[in-house]
Amino acid sequence: MKALKKRIRNIPDFPIKGIQFKDITTLLSDPASYQRAIDLMAHRHFQKGVEAVVGIEARGFVMGAAMAYKLGIGVILVRKAGKLPHKTVAAEYTLEYGKDRLEIHEDAVRPGMKVVVADDVLATGGTVSAVVDLLKRQGAVVVECCFLAELTDLRGREKLKGQKVFSLLKFRD
Ligand code: AMP
């Protein structure tokens, strides 16, 4: 896991002062690291009845789509406002740096559907908790929220009480 951690580049003060930005592009562009990370994130969900992976725009797509492919299941896109063409339902959320709104197609999940949510980084947890609320409102069963990396000092997990959370790599800042 140390080798994977080393593949993530830290960019201080991006996009604003005080943020330690975890740049995952350096891990993604290394074939062995990307494959290993996806294998480890996907493997835990083999044959557990998960029906789809929900990827959060944009880096969550890079994790979520590859996991879904590996698991032989579908991928559902949660996108920034205004990007999805059909009727949507929305969630407002607060980022480590700013506010935003995410949307999902209103018919993307069925009541009772078992899904795993995937994103690159768990920071404050604002994004993913908004997505979990949205999915639950639509009747989905969120089996787990799965991240490549977690910034543990930001305590995002505390926003996800009662929710199973997995992160492959942990950073203190
Ligand atoms: P949060 O809602 O604070 O958990 O933020 C999570 C989302 O913002 C994820 O989709 C990340 O891609 C991005 N993000 C937030 N903070 C960082 C960070 N320090 N480094 C990299 N990505 C981040």
Side-chain angles (χ1 to χ4, degrees), residues 20-22 59 95-97 119-121 123-127 151:
Q20 300 291 328
F21 193 86
K22 301 296 173 230
R59 279 159 285 156
L95 263 181
E96 193 186 356
Y97 40 82
D119 205 356
D120 64 333
V121 173
T124 65
T127 309
L151 308 180

